[in-house]
């Protein structure tokens, strides 16, 4: 699908130079259409209208890719072969507590990749569950009982990210971010710290994995319902680096790449900030409605956005070597007709393939670079 003339006029507003050039707009158009649709993956149940309701785990050594989306108290899990011809389905019915006697509504499911292990982490109204990567064994359960909810709001957990060498961070509806210390194996997982800068429910957490970030360098960003972002440096004690103020609407999805915070908002805007200072560098008029999912391909700097307007966009991020400015290029537009997008993820670190799911859509749509 080629961008319309109106799209060209609003695709990007640069803050450092006042706007993109006509030559840049033409270059963006030439790069549109670089992905083609592949065979979709059918799900046992449809996906719910939750933020970031899709997680993808590529396993190149096994020639497999895992996909997961949430429906009520169930996680739809699918493993797909590299050739896209073979699929294996599994439904994970999350159980709460060590006895596993009850279930509740799941708010998010996401794979957390650490250097020593991979965990499937689920958040819900009652607590946090951590499973081995294939969902076969629950290794840890953390109850939210005893935590204070905000006035008039039920308690739940939401927002998941792995950071540093051994930490998994999970947000809560009270605004607290729980930091779990993950051993290289076994179930001796401990709650090591609670980050309490937010005053509204956490919506999403983004992280950039690195062995040991230098002093002052951020590798974690947290977002909340009010639109506030907090930037952190992980370690034995997490250090708060910057707070990015609210812009008047919810920040529903946030990612971190190469010192750049990419945040998607309810007004359809994507805003790019310097992680260390919180300075706004660029603003993209990306969608006509609420953005529900962002993803970043770490090896290429491609940014993927999906929204309630049925559109999925691919952007290219980079830095000008001379000025240090953040540069953005529109690469591709895909319309999933009559579908409220609720999940969008790249399928590999290069960003040469991505997957999408939507509210009440009983399939995962896949696209591959031509």
């Amino acid at each position: 699908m080629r961008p319309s003339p109106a799209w060209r006029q609003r695709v990007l507003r640069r803050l450092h130079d006042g706007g993109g050039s006509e030559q840049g707009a033409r270059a963006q158009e030439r790069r549109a259409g670089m992905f083609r649709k592949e065979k979709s993956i059918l799900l046992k149940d449809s996906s719910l209208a939750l933020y970031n309701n899709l997680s993808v785990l590529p396993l190149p050594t096994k020639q497999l890719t895992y996909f997961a989306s949430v429906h009520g108290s169930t996680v739809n899990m699918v493993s797909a072969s590299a050739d896209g011809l073979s699929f294996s389905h599994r439904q994970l019915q999350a159980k709460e507590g060590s006895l596993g006697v009850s279930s509740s509504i799941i708010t998010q499911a996401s794979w957390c990749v650490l250097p020593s292990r991979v965990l499937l982490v689920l958040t819900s109204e009652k607590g946090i569950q951590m499973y081995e990567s294939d969902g076969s064994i629950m290794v840890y359960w953390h109850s939210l009982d005893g935590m204070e909810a905000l006035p008039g709001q039920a308690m739940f957990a939401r927002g998941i990210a792995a950071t540093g060498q051994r930490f998994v961070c999970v947000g809560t509806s009270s605004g607290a971010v729980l930091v779990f210390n993950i051993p290289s194996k076994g179930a001796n997982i401990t709650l090591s710290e609670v980050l309490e800068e937010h005053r509204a429910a956490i919506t999403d957490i983004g992280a950039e994995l690195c062995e040991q970030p230098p002093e002052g360098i951020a590798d974690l960003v947290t977002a909340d319902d009010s639109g506030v972002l907090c930037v952190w440096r992980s370690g034995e004690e997490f250090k708060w680096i910057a707070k990015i103020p609210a812009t008047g609407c919810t920040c529903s999805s946030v990612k971190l790449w190469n010192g750049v915070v990419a945040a998607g908002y309810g007004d359809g805007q994507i805003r790019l900030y310097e992680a260390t200072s919180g300075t706004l560098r660029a603003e993209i008029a990306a969608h006509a409605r609420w953005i529900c999912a962002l993803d970043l391909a770490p090896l290429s700097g491609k940014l993927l956005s999906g929204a309630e307007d049925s559109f999925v966009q691919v952007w290219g991020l980079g830095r000008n070597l001379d000025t240090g400015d953040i540069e953005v290029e529109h690469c591709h537009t895909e319309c999933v007709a009559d579908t409220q997008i609720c999940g969008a993820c790249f399928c590999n670190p290069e960003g040469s393939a991505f997957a999408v799911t939507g509210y009440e859509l009983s399939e995962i749509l896949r696209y591959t670079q031509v």
Side-chain angles (χ1 to χ4, degrees):
M1 176 177 180
R2 294 183 62 84
S4 65
W7 171 261
R8 283 180 52 203
Q9 297 303 316
R10 69 183 184 89
V11 89
L12 176 62
R13 176 167 59 88
R14 290 268 180 79
L15 295 188
H16 62 266
D17 64 7
S21 65
E22 182 69 17
Q23 181 180 1
R26 292 196 187 101
Q28 291 163 10
E29 287 189 356
R30 285 196 298 271
R31 294 191 61 183
M34 63 186 295
F35 288 85
R36 67 163 181 257
K37 188 176 180 182
E38 301 289 350
K39 181 181 179 181
S40 62
I41 301 173
L42 298 180
L43 297 173
K44 297 293 185 180
D45 283 316
S46 61
S47 299
L48 286 187
L50 303 169
Y51 300 150
N52 309 298
N53 192 8
L54 180 64
S55 185
V56 177
L57 175 66
L59 299 171
T61 58
K62 296 183 178 181
Q63 295 292 299
L64 291 174
T65 303
Y66 286 174
F67 301 86
S69 72
V70 173
H71 178 92
S73 60
T74 302
V75 179
N76 295 303
M77 297 179 62
V78 183
S79 63
S81 61
D83 58 14
L85 301 178
S86 177
F87 305 102
S88 176
H89 294 264
R90 177 176 184 174
Q91 286 188 302
L92 178 60
Q93 188 75 34
K95 298 296 183 180
E96 308 284 355
S98 58
L99 298 179
V101 294
S102 64
S103 61
S104 65
I105 299 299
I106 300 171
T107 53
Q108 191 177 0
S110 181
W111 277 285
C112 288
V113 180
L114 291 166
S116 60
R117 74 191 296 185
V118 179
L119 294 175
L120 175 62
V121 180
L122 276 56
T123 57
S124 72
E125 298 171 317
K126 294 184 178 180
I128 300 154
Q129 305 99 53
M130 299 186 186
Y131 292 80
E132 296 294 355
S133 60
D134 61 357
S136 59
I137 301 172
M138 181 191 287
V139 296
Y140 182 74
W141 177 75
H142 180 86
S143 174
L144 296 181
D145 291 344
M147 295 191 68
E148 294 185 7
L150 295 174
Q153 187 175 60
M155 178 59 71
F156 59 87
R158 180 179 61 192
I160 305 166
T163 188
Q165 293 291 291
R166 52 188 173 85
F167 299 108
V168 167
C169 298
V170 180
T172 69
S173 55
S174 69
V177 177
L178 310 182
V179 180
F180 296 94
N181 194 330
I182 310 296
S184 58
K185 60 181 179 180
N188 190 29
I189 296 171
T190 58
L191 176 63
S192 62
E193 193 172 352
V194 180
L195 311 179
E196 297 182 305
E197 285 293 327
H198 289 276
R199 298 295 178 265
I202 301 299
T203 51
D204 195 26
I205 302 177
E208 187 168 22
L209 288 179
C210 52
E211 290 188 6
Q212 183 62 42
E215 189 66 31
I217 299 301
D219 62 344
L220 184 76
V221 58
T222 53
D224 68 28
D225 259 333
S226 72
V228 169
L229 308 179
C230 289
V231 185
W232 310 82
R233 178 182 182 272
S234 67
E236 292 300 326
E237 290 187 2
F238 280 56
K239 295 182 178 180
W240 174 80
I241 293 178
K243 179 175 285 188
I244 300 171
T247 59
C249 58
T250 295
C251 176
S252 51
S253 193
V254 65
K255 292 293 180 262
L256 183 62
W257 174 79
N258 197 26
V260 178
V261 173
Y265 292 85
D267 59 3
Q269 301 286 314
I270 297 174
R271 296 179 176 92
L272 304 177
Y273 302 90
E274 293 287 356
T276 53
S277 64
T279 303
L280 178 63
R281 290 299 189 187
E283 186 173 8
I284 310 168
H287 293 273
R289 298 186 65 184
W290 201 291
I291 294 174
C292 294
L294 291 182
D295 197 19
L296 261 164
L299 296 186
S300 64
K302 289 178 183 175
L303 175 65
L304 181 69
S305 62
E308 291 181 345
D309 61 2
S310 302
F311 282 91
V312 182
Q313 311 285 358
V314 181
W315 315 86
L317 304 187
R319 281 191 184 273
N320 186 301
L321 297 179
D322 296 325
T323 65
D325 288 332
I326 298 170
E327 297 184 337
V328 184
E329 182 180 11
H330 180 252
C331 302
H332 182 75
T333 296
E334 197 69 45
C335 179
V336 185
D338 303 319
T339 300
Q340 178 182 322
I341 304 298
C342 61
C345 285
F346 285 114
C347 297
N348 52 45
E350 300 80 15
S352 61
F354 66 87
V356 176
T357 191
Y359 176 47
E360 294 191 341
L361 190 67
S362 297
E363 60 182 329
I364 294 173
L365 306 177
R366 297 187 302 164
Y367 301 86
T368 303
Q369 190 169 345
V370 177

